[in-house]
Amino acid sequence: MKKTILLLSSFLIVSTATLAQNTAKAKEVLPKKTEVMETAPEVVFDSIHFQKSAEMLDETIYWELIDKTVKANLSQEDQELFLTNELEKLSPKEIIGFRLRTDKLLFDSYTSDLWCAAYIMNGGTTDGGFDYFRCWIISKGKEAYYNALANPDSLINLVKDGQNAYEFEGFWFVAMNAFLNKTDHEIYNFIDYDTFVTNDEHYPLLTFNWNVDEPKTMSKICPVLFQKLWKN
């Protein structure tokens, strides 16, 4: 009887040890669980179904972007890069809206008095030069822009010693470049020009109340700028 109990005990000890070993091995073989991070799917621009837009970006948002660069006192090159980068964070429709808001501001500032200021400040100007002059004004922020509309002579506050040209051609292209970088498409193909007509194709016919051949007429429009900058 004792011999039977002893054998039974030995069997149970061996079985328990074997079971423990098998369990330990099984734990070693089981792979560790790995957490999979879910990432948001990349948004692909659908050029086929994207509706052309004639909606301008909210003016407050527009000027906040511009004024941020003014406060940072960036060079034109850095301002252009900053604005392009900021626009790429927006939706394609909002980038178009930035371009249209710029077009509207350029349209509203297409005046004889501001052309006189451009002529004085740049020692002459062309149609394209006048566009880039107004781009430069816009790039200086909301206050500078609306002050210039009310009184072109206010631009004297932005005049710098040694600076001979007051233009910003690159500003004209920030929305175009941002849209191309984000969508790989040209922005002009997605603007509804049938609805949005406040652009350079519809500038009004100006009646000039000054004449470069009669400098006194220019001094009447921009007396402060004329006195400080006119050299002809």
Side-chain angles (χ1 to χ4, degrees):
M1 182 68 177
K2 287 181 179 180
K3 199 179 278 187
T4 302
I5 293 173
L6 185 61
L7 287 172
L8 183 59
S9 297
S10 299
F11 175 77
L12 288 173
I13 291 171
V14 172
S15 298
T16 302
T18 303
L19 180 61
Q21 289 178 355
N22 290 339
T23 302
K25 288 181 180 179
K27 287 182 179 180
E28 292 177 0
V29 174
L30 286 175
K32 293 181 178 180
K33 291 184 178 180
T34 56
E35 294 185 5
V36 180
M37 299 294 292
E38 293 186 5
T39 56
E42 183 179 352
V43 178
V44 179
F45 178 66
D46 186 354
S47 61
I48 297 177
H49 297 96
F50 185 85
Q51 297 293 319
K52 287 186 176 183
S53 178
E55 183 178 338
M56 291 184 288
L57 185 66
D58 178 81
E59 188 170 6
T60 299
I61 296 174
Y62 181 94
W63 285 121
E64 283 176 352
L65 286 171
I66 304 296
D67 289 339
K68 189 184 297 184
T69 65
V70 174
K71 291 177 182 176
N73 195 28
L74 301 176
S75 66
Q76 281 194 2
E77 182 179 4
D78 288 339
Q79 186 178 19
E80 183 179 347
L81 291 172
F82 177 88
L83 287 173
T84 302
N85 182 66
E86 289 299 300
L87 289 178
E88 287 176 23
K89 298 176 184 178
L90 304 180
S91 68
K93 184 178 180 180
E94 289 172 322
I95 299 174
I96 290 174
F98 184 95
R99 173 68 236 185
L100 298 184
R101 177 64 64 184
T102 300
D103 281 343
K104 179 65 164 58
L105 295 171
L106 289 170
F107 187 93
D108 291 344
S109 58
Y110 188 79
T111 69
S112 173
D113 286 359
L114 273 179
W115 200 315
C116 181
Y119 207 99
I120 295 171
M121 295 178 73
N122 290 313
T125 191
T126 62
D127 288 357
F130 184 43
D131 287 337
Y132 301 145
F133 173 75
R134 283 157 29 248
C135 281
W136 168 76
I137 296 175
I138 296 169
S139 77
K140 292 303 179 182
K142 180 179 181 179
E143 183 177 357
Y145 174 82
Y146 283 108
N147 284 344
L149 276 187
N151 177 21
D153 248 353
S154 67
L155 292 172
I156 193 67
N157 298 318
L158 301 177
V159 170
K160 294 183 178 180
D161 291 337
Q163 185 171 342
N164 299 316
Y166 296 89
E167 297 180 355
F168 193 173
E169 181 178 356
F171 186 87
W172 182 278
F173 300 103
V174 289
M176 179 195 303
N177 292 334
F179 192 87
L180 183 62
N181 292 342
K182 189 177 184 72
T183 69
D184 201 31
H185 289 275
E186 296 289 345
I187 192 171
Y188 297 117
N189 295 328
F190 299 94
I191 295 176
D192 180 7
Y193 282 116
D194 291 334
T195 303
F196 186 83
V197 294
T198 49
N199 53 60
D200 57 334
E201 295 294 327
H202 299 89
Y203 283 159
L205 183 63
L206 294 182
T207 299
F208 290 93
N209 52 358
W210 56 274
N211 188 333
V212 69
D213 294 326
E214 299 177 22
K216 288 184 179 180
T217 61
M218 301 170 69
S219 67
K220 289 182 179 179
I221 305 298
C222 304
V224 179
L225 286 172
F226 185 86
Q227 183 177 4
K228 184 175 179 64
L229 300 176
W230 188 250
K231 298 176 182 179
N232 293 349

